[in-house]
Amino acid sequence: MNPKINIIEAKTIFTKSGLPGSDRVINPYNGCLFGCMYCYAAQIARWKHPEEEWGTYLDVKMNAPELLKKELSNLKKRLGTKNFGSVFFSSVTDPYVGPEATYRLTRKCLEVLADFGYGGEIAIQTKSPLVTRDIDILQRLKRVSVGFTVTTLDDRVSRFMEVKAPPVSSRIQALKELHAKGIRTYAFVGPILPYFTNSDRKIRALLEKLKAAGVKEVWFEHINLNSKIKSRLFSFLKKESPKLIPEFEKADTTEYREKLDGIIHLAVRELGLHMAFGKIIYHKELPKKKLR
Ligand code: SF4
């Protein structure tokens, strides 16, 4: 089935954020065609599309770059600075979801920030190597980092859990390319996949691969199995691989998380990597604040 693409006009784009480490978020799209089975945004961002399945629709905010330019200019007039804090691309979509190749909204928003001389930290997180298309703009930004979500080293697992996202091998390749071009990179290992990526051996193998790709900073996040995420994820597992359900259920205990915390902290330290926030993120509940 072809995804449903809706062209829309956004009312705001440079939105205040409740996410750890981010003051503002930019979401050039609403919805995400990668359709990951553990996606928390599937619950937050679908309020405009309550009847549609996550991964089947995308709202394209065609006016995002012009709106961003206007909002930055208004803030500058009001606050007299070019730094309004750290900016995150994106909280409820992937900024390099497939149609970005055509619409180029993320690229144009980055161009707006570069032309403005934005002074704050900009973090871009994606699962798509399409971000390498924009290296020329990234090199013009004062403070930027690009993070790739890497939850496994196995393309079969990424295809299974992150259904339509580019395979993880292409993400590692993109991390190498960005590093070689002087762009600061990081890896987001989230969620830490039960069964697939939860042993000392697999965590170390993953970290070694990331380090070899030039990554110095890693973000880890425990799987969030709140009722809405669990309902969607477990319906999928029930259909595709029911034997995994007890493995995922086990992951929702303090004992499991504490054991994993010990393994990860030791591996990160021994490999000389930096753990973002100094801890493994764990969201039990969905953020209260709507992020867009
Ligand atoms: S790429 Fe991110 S926003 Fe898109 S479906 Fe996957 S987890 Fe959700």
Side-chain angles (χ1 to χ4, degrees), residues 109-268:
C109 286
L110 290 171
E111 258 177 328
V112 168
L113 287 162
D115 293 347
F116 181 77
Y118 193 76
E121 182 75 37
I122 298 167
I124 300 161
Q125 194 168 306
T126 183
K127 288 187 171 92
S128 172
L130 180 58
V131 63
T132 58
R133 175 200 65 186
D134 296 343
I135 285 174
D136 58 329
I137 311 284
L138 298 172
Q139 287 171 331
R140 288 180 50 214
L141 288 163
K142 290 184 179 162
R143 295 160 68 193
V144 69
S145 60
V146 177
F148 269 85
T149 307
V150 179
T151 58
T152 171
L153 289 180
D154 188 335
D155 281 347
R156 290 167 304 175
V157 177
S158 64
R159 176 63 64 241
F160 178 65
M161 295 298 300
E162 298 156 348
V163 187
K164 293 183 203 144
V168 71
S169 53
S170 70
R171 301 177 214 166
I172 305 263
Q173 200 47 45
L175 276 168
K176 278 186 197 159
E177 188 178 340
L178 289 158
H179 177 68
K181 295 281 169 59
I183 307 295
R184 191 156 41 94
T185 56
Y186 69 94
F188 177 64
V189 186
I192 309 158
L193 294 178
Y195 182 75
F196 298 114
T197 316
N198 62 357
S199 68
D200 183 51
R201 183 179 61 80
K202 288 179 182 168
I203 298 275
R204 277 176 193 267
L206 187 135
L207 290 175
E208 277 162 12
K209 190 89 172 176
L210 292 172
K211 190 175 173 179
V215 168
K216 292 188 176 62
E217 180 175 273
V218 280
W219 302 25
F220 273 92
E221 185 175 285
H222 285 296
I223 194 159
N224 181 342
L225 286 175
N226 74 46
S227 55
K228 287 186 173 163
I229 295 175
K230 192 171 176 177
S231 154
R232 177 167 172 265
L233 173 61
F234 279 33
S235 310
F236 164 76
L237 292 178
K238 200 169 162 189
K239 207 166 115 215
E240 300 296 331
S241 187
K243 72 172 188 339
L244 289 175
I245 291 181
E247 298 289 338
F248 276 67
E249 265 171 343
K250 213 164 52 187
D252 204 15
T253 62
T254 307
E255 191 191 353
Y256 173 94
R257 282 189 293 274
E258 284 178 356
K259 189 174 168 207
L260 204 48
D261 284 359
I263 290 172
I264 293 168
H265 278 293
L266 184 64
V268 167

Side-chain angles (χ1 to χ4, degrees), residues 31-42 54-55 90-95 97 125-128 149 161-163 165-166 188 190-191 232:
C32 183
L33 303 180
F34 291 161
C36 308
M37 295 318 302
Y38 52 70
C39 181
Y40 76 97
W54 182 251
S90 299
S91 58
V92 292
T93 187
D94 189 301
V97 69
Q125 194 168 306
T126 183
K127 288 187 171 92
S128 172
T149 307
M161 295 298 300
E162 298 156 348
V163 187
F188 177 64
R232 177 167 172 265

Side-chain angles (χ1 to χ4, degrees), residues 6-7 18 22 62 75-76 81 103 106 111 129 131 183 230 252 260 268 276 291:
N6 309 301
I7 304 298
S22 309
M62 212 51 129
L75 280 168
K76 188 179 150 214
T81 171
Y103 296 107
T106 297
E111 258 177 328
V131 63
I183 307 295
K230 192 171 176 177
D252 204 15
L260 204 48
V268 167
L291 294 172

